[in-house]
Amino acid sequence: MTRVKLQLQDISVPEKIRKARQVLAQLVGNPNFPTVAALSAELTAATSTLENGYDAAIEARSAAAAKTAALNTVERAFDGSFTRLGSHIEDASQGDEAKIKSAGLDVRTDARPVGELPAPHALTVSVGDDEGELDLHWDRVKGAASYTIETTEDPAQVSDWQQAGVVTKSSHTLAGLTSGHKVSVRVAAIGAAGKSPWSDPVAKIVP
């Protein structure tokens, strides 16, 4: 017996809505299924509810993206202010370690080259706290000063990979992604010798 193929777990929310409406339209007056009216009505209502929920999520994601941009602005202002204070302490102390530490600040150690960095390992991508967010975690790479993150919806196309952020910690939250879309993520470490190879990509459907 031939079975129905849905594979709903592999398609995005907009694709689910389009497919449902296509099927519902083709069931209208279809003599092959004379008793499907109640299920068609149920799916019609479920499709409308899903579409309303999706639209609300898109609107919430836009608002979240605006709040994230505002946070980034004030964080840059904070970083600039703290950096200027640190520079003043460094100059005023004439590099005296004890004086610098008396201000509650740490001191730098001499950097030692560690050579070419390996690709980050154990990259995981999980659902974030809000719509349109994915949480990333990976193992710290010794000698890495920062990490660059790239995303794509088509990992087979090399030119489709786009930078999604540069961070100094081995974790990050991607925000403002399109809910229902499958996104692939990869990470590379950056150190004194340059950029490492990319981690193995990990794909996740955006909530």
Side-chain angles (χ1 to χ4, degrees), residues 125-188:
V125 182
S126 57
V127 171
D129 293 334
D130 296 315
E131 297 284 347
E133 290 188 352
L134 293 176
D135 290 335
L136 317 180
H137 297 273
W138 59 91
D139 289 346
R140 186 179 68 85
V141 176
K142 183 179 180 180
S146 60
Y147 303 90
T148 182
I149 303 165
E150 289 191 348
T151 62
T152 183
E153 292 186 12
D154 187 2
Q157 296 296 324
V158 176
S159 61
D160 282 0
W161 286 95
Q162 300 292 325
Q163 188 180 81
V166 176
V167 299
T168 56
K169 297 180 180 180
S170 57
S171 62
H172 184 62
T173 296
L174 296 173
L177 302 173
T178 302
S179 181
H181 285 210
K182 181 181 285 188
V183 174
S184 293
V185 182
R186 65 183 184 180
V187 179

Side-chain angles (χ1 to χ4, degrees), residues 37-176:
L39 291 173
S40 292
E42 178 186 328
L43 180 57
T44 297
T47 302
S48 296
T49 301
L50 178 60
E51 184 173 38
N52 291 337
Y54 179 76
D55 290 343
I58 292 297
E59 184 177 347
R61 190 188 75 244
S62 297
K67 291 180 179 178
T68 299
L71 173 61
N72 290 339
T73 298
V74 297
E75 185 179 14
R76 284 193 297 270
F78 170 87
D79 291 350
S81 178
F82 213 155
T83 299
R84 288 189 292 274
L85 183 141
S87 296
H88 174 80
I89 296 297
E90 186 176 291
D91 292 341
S93 68
Q94 297 183 338
D96 186 297
E97 180 176 344
K99 290 181 179 179
I100 293 173
K101 287 185 174 180
S102 76
L105 294 172
D106 297 322
V107 295
R108 300 181 187 182
T109 56
D110 293 333
R112 296 181 181 178
V114 296
E116 184 176 345
L117 300 177
H121 291 290
L123 171 62
T124 62
V125 182
S126 57
V127 171
D129 293 334
D130 296 315
E131 297 284 347
E133 290 188 352
L134 293 176
D135 290 335
L136 317 180
H137 297 273
W138 59 91
D139 289 346
R140 186 179 68 85
V141 176
K142 183 179 180 180
S146 60
Y147 303 90
T148 182
I149 303 165
E150 289 191 348
T151 62
T152 183
E153 292 186 12
D154 187 2
Q157 296 296 324
V158 176
S159 61
D160 282 0
W161 286 95
Q162 300 292 325
Q163 188 180 81
V166 176
V167 299
T168 56
K169 297 180 180 180
S170 57
S171 62
H172 184 62
T173 296
L174 296 173

